[in-house]
Amino acid sequence: MDLAKYDVLPARQRRRTIRLCAIHLTGLFLLLGRDAVSQSVGKFRSVDVYNQYVTGTAKDRWQDPDDIISGLHLQPTDSVAVISAQPGLLARRIAPSVANLYIVTSIPSGVAQLQTEALPNVKVILASGRDDPKLASNSIDKLVVQDFLSTLDDRTTIYLPRLISAMKSGGSIFVIDFYKTGAPGFLPLATRLDATIAVAEFFLFGYRIANVYDTLPLQFFLEFKR
C-alpha cells in the first residue's frame, strides 16, 4: 500500500482514510487470530505456574524467539533496541548477531540477570516512566516493541513520537502483542491493543506495514517501515 499520497490530504481526511484502512485490515487480523483462540490456555493454578508460563522454556513453546529472530533479518552492523518487560528471552539471541543492542524497560527485575552477564555490546536503559524510551535520536536500525504498547493509554501524543525519533532512515519497527482473543497474556482482553489500532496509529507517522508474520500462535507480529 502506497501511503505517500496521504501526506497531502487535509488532517481530517487523512484521519478518515486511516480509519478506513484499519477497518479493511480487520479481516486479515481476524484470520491470523483464529488459531490463537483454539490454542487458549486455562486459568493458572498459581503465581509460580504463571511465572513459568511467561518466562524461560515454557514461553519458548508459544512465543518462539527463534521465529522472531528470523523475522528481524539481523545484520552485523545493526543497532537494535528491544522494549519489553521481559527482554532477556530475545536479548541473548540478538546480541551475538548485531553491533549494538539497547534494552529498554521500566522493570529493573526484568534486566537484573542481563546486567550481571555484562554482555559487551548490550546497554540496559531503565526508563523512569512510560512516556520516554530514552533512546538517542537517529540511533536505531531495528526496534522491537514486545508486549508493551498495550500498556500505554495515550501513545500517539508523547510515546510514539519519541520512539520514532530514535529510528534511522529506512529502519524497521516490529510490534509484537497479544491478540484480542481468549489467548492468555499479561493483560485482560479488554485492555489489549487491537492490531488494527496499531496499524492506524503508525500510519499517522507515515509508517506502513512491510510484513505480517503469522509464526506466533498467540500474538500478532508486524513490521512497519516508512
Side-chain angles (χ1 to χ4, degrees):
M1 181 182 295
D2 182 8
L3 300 180
K5 61 183 179 182
Y6 299 147
D7 292 341
V8 299
L9 295 176
R12 180 178 299 177
Q13 188 174 354
R14 186 185 303 122
R15 288 194 296 269
R16 180 177 180 273
T17 302
I18 290 169
R19 286 197 297 270
L20 288 174
C21 289
I23 290 170
H24 288 304
L25 285 166
T26 300
L28 168 64
F29 289 108
L30 287 176
L31 288 174
L32 292 179
R34 185 173 298 165
D35 287 343
V37 178
S38 64
Q39 299 189 41
S40 297
V41 177
K43 293 182 179 180
F44 298 103
R45 297 186 301 276
S46 69
V47 173
D48 289 340
V49 173
Y50 178 78
N51 287 337
Q52 182 183 9
Y53 183 77
V54 298
T55 59
T57 56
K59 190 175 184 180
D60 282 3
R61 288 196 293 270
W62 58 267
Q63 189 186 54
D64 189 340
D66 292 330
D67 283 344
I68 296 175
I69 297 298
S70 177
L72 300 183
H73 299 292
L74 298 173
Q75 301 298 320
T77 56
D78 281 344
S79 288
V80 179
V82 175
I83 301 179
S84 173
Q86 297 286 342
L89 195 66
L90 285 178
R92 293 180 184 87
R93 290 168 167 85
I94 291 176
S97 302
V98 301
N100 300 290
L101 174 61
Y102 301 91
I103 298 171
V104 181
T105 183
S106 58
I107 304 176
S109 61
V111 296
Q113 182 60 38
L114 291 173
Q115 288 175 319
T116 62
E117 293 176 13
L119 299 173
N121 63 333
V122 175
K123 180 179 180 180
V124 176
I125 300 173
L126 288 175
S128 58
R130 296 181 177 275
D131 60 350
D132 190 352
K134 295 188 176 180
L135 292 168
S137 296
N138 194 36
S139 62
I140 303 300
D141 296 293
K142 290 169 182 174
L143 173 66
V144 182
V145 189
Q146 183 182 31
D147 306 334
F148 181 74
L149 288 183
S150 54
T151 68
L152 304 177
D153 294 328
D154 191 358
R155 295 174 291 273
T156 58
T157 58
I158 299 177
Y159 196 85
L160 285 184
R162 291 176 177 174
L163 193 70
I164 289 168
S165 71
M167 299 303 300
K168 295 181 182 179
S169 177
S172 292
I173 299 176
F174 299 86
V175 177
I176 302 169
D177 225 310
F178 287 94
Y179 291 117
K180 289 180 72 73
T181 66
F186 301 104
L187 295 174
L189 297 181
T191 62
R192 295 186 194 180
L193 175 65
D194 191 303
T196 58
I197 298 300
V199 171
E201 289 179 349
F202 277 97
F203 276 5
L204 286 171
F205 299 95
Y207 278 79
R208 62 179 177 81
I209 293 180
N211 284 296
V212 176
Y213 299 99
D214 60 358
T215 54
L216 304 179
L218 305 181
Q219 296 180 300
F220 60 84
F221 179 12
L222 309 177
E223 178 183 0
F224 294 94
K225 294 179 73 74
R226 68 176 177 183

